Amino acid sequence: VVAAACLFLPYQMFAESISYDGLDQQSMYFIGTAIAGIVTIIVNLQVALETTLWTVYNHILVWGSIAAWFILFFVLCAPFAFHISPENFSYFDSIYRVVQ
């Protein structure tokens, strides 16, 4: 049920902005970015809910992994990364379309 929600909820949210012909790769990056962010949060929240004994290390790893994913994501989708190597960052505007 959770996996279906992770896939179909973003798909329905962004249904108007993705290409249905499958030829536009920006559409794949766009919906994949949203799904990856949702899965990162959900998996870490499930770990947090099932943890019975919280230590400092648990907090650092659970909340830090969520923060680290988003920090890495923002760095890779930043304009300076695109200008360094445009051929490797064809998904540059995904972050801006997801956040809007």
Side-chain angles (χ1 to χ4, degrees):
V1 174
V2 174
C6 287
L7 175 65
F8 292 113
L9 185 66
Y11 183 77
Q12 290 302 318
M13 288 172 36
F14 303 122
E16 296 296 321
S17 60
I18 60 174
S19 173
Y20 291 104
D21 60 5
L23 299 176
D24 183 21
Q25 284 193 340
Q26 293 289 48
S27 296
M28 290 189 303
Y29 290 125
F30 180 56
I31 197 159
T33 300
I35 291 172
I38 291 170
V39 167
T40 301
I41 293 170
I42 288 176
V43 166
N44 281 294
L45 289 178
Q46 284 180 341
V47 168
L49 287 173
E50 293 181 10
T51 301
T52 56
L53 179 64
W54 281 91
T55 64
V56 173
Y57 300 116
N58 291 84
H59 283 287
I60 291 171
L61 292 174
V62 170
W63 309 122
S65 64
I66 293 174
W69 189 89
F70 283 103
I71 289 169
L72 179 67
F73 179 70
F74 283 118
V75 167
L76 287 178
C77 293
F80 71 85
F82 179 73
H83 293 299
I84 291 171
S85 179
E87 66 275 356
N88 292 333
F89 294 100
S90 61
Y91 52 90
F92 171 65
D93 66 336
S94 295
I95 180 65
Y96 300 110
R97 291 198 287 170
V98 168
V99 172
Q100 289 179 350

